[in-house]
Amino acid sequence: MSKKTLSTNKPQNLAKIFGTDGVRGRAGSFLTPAFCIELGIAAGLYFRDLAKQKHIRSSNKILLGKDTRRSGYMIENALVSALTSVGYDVIQVGPMPTPAIAFLTADMRCDAGIMISASHNPFDDNGIKFFDRFGNKLDEKAEAQIEKIYHNKQLLAQNHKVGQEIGSSKRIDDVIGRYIVHIKNSFPKELSLQGLRIVLDCANGAAYKVAPTIFHELGADVVVINNTPNGFNINEQCGAMHPQDLANEVLKYRADIGFALDGDADRLVVVDNMGKIINGDILLGALGEYLHTIGELESNTIIATQMSNLALEEFFAKHNITLQRCDVGDKYVFDAMKQYGSNFGGEQSGHIIFSDYSTTGDGLMSAIAVMALVLRKKTSSHQALNPFTLYPQKLINLKVLEKTPLESISGFSELCKQIEKSGMRTLIRYSGTEPILRILVEGKSAEAIESTSKELESFLRSKLA
């Protein structure tokens, strides 16, 4: 076989590597140095071959960022070794938000971008996310191609460069300024945060430097918490996954608003000036209606996932806004936005996409948009960010031993049909990144939701846990 051949003729049904959001697992166990090297080589070969297929002149550069997990050093060095071994020059930018890597990949004209992060997961997990030259997350077809190359060990071994063809690596520390300017450019020039007090929870994660800088430069009085990462405290009882401390700090400092980011800063949780944690669907509703009001919502359409509350759909309908639903995952939201010609969409979890500025969920851009909304409404964040009430909804995360296909579980479909006949909505799916089954039940009666969710949990626990 020629060294330049990327034929991946291998047995089918090979182990799947990618989940809902890149590759994710326990660092040092699933994500070993050897695994990361082979995956990095596979990705490098894929991106080089993609440029040839599309007749695009390659820059021969790949951007590499990470969050603040200790294991990021191990994975970063493995990926640098892998990519340089197939001839790529690697630009290392250190701890930066995931959306910053997406933006910088396109801005710096790289062939691809890679982010080392497990997002909201505990510190001992880690992950690898890939972006194409335009800053888009890879679709399932592209991920499948990388998996095929990864499983072809002979192909990996045959494509190492030698001599002057081996790539180089360089660490650049000043690209943070490009991203700061990018975020600030999304904020209306006539507005200022002067006189506003904002509490900012950085989750001891990737935005611990960039987030406070942005809000300081826009004039806010910023109270920063959880911005001292040590490699092990990312997401630990803080950030978007644990916003109660932020709520307490907002009340303590009598702040106008509070923002909590997750480990890689691609999602946002908001706390209003009354200390109320704003539900993700409520936030989508407030922002969507705001964009519609100021005439900046394209196609009069907003994208949300199957997880979003029915009350959100009804709220938009009252404002003559169409809600289209898609699968869970911000890359699916972005794909649907392109399909329906929309420039706004997001997930209940806090991933929000403003496609006029970003290709992926961006917690800082979302926070800036929230501030523009509050300022233009000339009211408190509590009044501005609570435009409707949600229907009762219960979400249960059930740990499972293995992800047995739900349709193969005896009695499962019959139980779901019975629940839906009673007027409730269910959405039951496996997490793409963890051994968890997510059980969502929604309806107009809190009592019925509670009893039904317990019935479903008990049934599925007996089958899977």
Side-chain angles (χ1 to χ4, degrees), residues 188-396:
K189 294 289 193 296
E190 72 274 13
L191 299 179
S192 169
L193 300 184
Q194 199 73 36
L196 296 176
R197 178 171 293 168
I198 297 172
V199 182
L200 188 60
D201 186 342
C202 298
N204 294 313
Y208 78 101
K209 288 183 180 179
V210 66
T213 302
I214 288 171
F215 286 98
H216 278 303
E217 290 189 4
L218 289 173
D221 173 13
V222 186
V223 178
V224 186
I225 61 175
N226 300 309
N227 67 325
T228 55
N230 61 16
F232 309 112
N233 59 359
I234 186 172
N235 299 315
E236 185 179 18
Q237 298 301 310
C238 62
M241 299 304 292
H242 305 279
Q244 189 55 55
D245 280 351
L246 172 63
N248 295 338
E249 293 297 297
V250 167
L251 293 175
K252 174 183 174 181
Y253 287 99
R254 298 181 181 180
D256 295 285
I257 200 166
F259 296 120
L261 304 167
D262 67 340
D264 66 338
D266 65 352
R267 70 167 69 184
L268 175 74
V269 170
V270 180
V271 172
D272 69 23
N273 61 293
M274 301 294 289
K276 179 182 178 181
I277 299 168
I278 305 299
N279 177 277
D281 280 335
I282 296 284
L283 187 61
L284 279 175
L287 286 168
E289 190 270 333
Y290 162 70
L291 290 176
H292 175 67
T293 299
I294 64 174
E296 293 185 5
L297 179 63
E298 293 181 6
S299 300
N300 213 36
T301 299
I302 291 171
I303 309 300
T305 74
Q306 300 295 343
M307 299 286 286
S308 279
N309 200 285
L310 181 60
L312 175 64
E313 192 169 339
E314 293 181 353
F315 172 74
F316 283 148
K318 289 178 181 178
H319 292 274
N320 298 314
I321 299 170
T322 300
L323 177 69
Q324 297 288 355
R325 295 179 183 267
C326 66
D327 290 338
V328 175
D330 66 342
K331 69 179 178 182
Y332 300 115
V333 172
F334 187 64
D335 287 343
M337 289 168 65
K338 290 187 289 185
Q339 178 185 348
Y340 291 102
S342 174
N343 62 340
F344 178 72
E347 297 186 273
Q348 187 185 58
S349 61
H351 289 121
I352 301 175
I353 303 175
F354 296 85
S355 64
D356 290 340
Y357 301 97
S358 181
T359 60
T360 188
D362 191 324
L364 287 169
M365 188 165 290
S366 300
I368 291 297
V370 169
M371 292 313 305
L373 180 162
V374 172
L375 287 168
R376 281 179 164 165
K377 285 188 177 287
K378 299 180 180 179
T379 185
S380 70
S381 58
H382 179 72
Q383 291 178 307
L385 299 176
N386 291 280
F388 65 98
T389 302
L390 298 173
Y391 289 139
Q393 194 178 68
K394 182 71 177 282
L395 176 63
I396 297 170

Side-chain angles (χ1 to χ4, degrees), residues 402-444:
E402 58 179 324
K403 297 181 179 181
T404 304
L406 296 175
E407 62 272 14
S408 69
I409 299 175
S410 176
F412 173 72
S413 60
E414 290 78 8
L415 178 58
C416 288
K417 288 177 182 177
Q418 179 183 338
I419 293 169
E420 289 170 5
K421 282 183 180 179
S422 67
M424 286 176 279
R425 187 174 77 96
T426 62
L427 180 63
I428 303 168
R429 67 176 187 91
Y430 289 110
S431 165
T433 58
E434 301 171 271
I436 287 175
L437 180 67
R438 305 198 193 282
I439 306 167
L440 176 72
V441 184
E442 178 185 276
K444 296 185 178 181

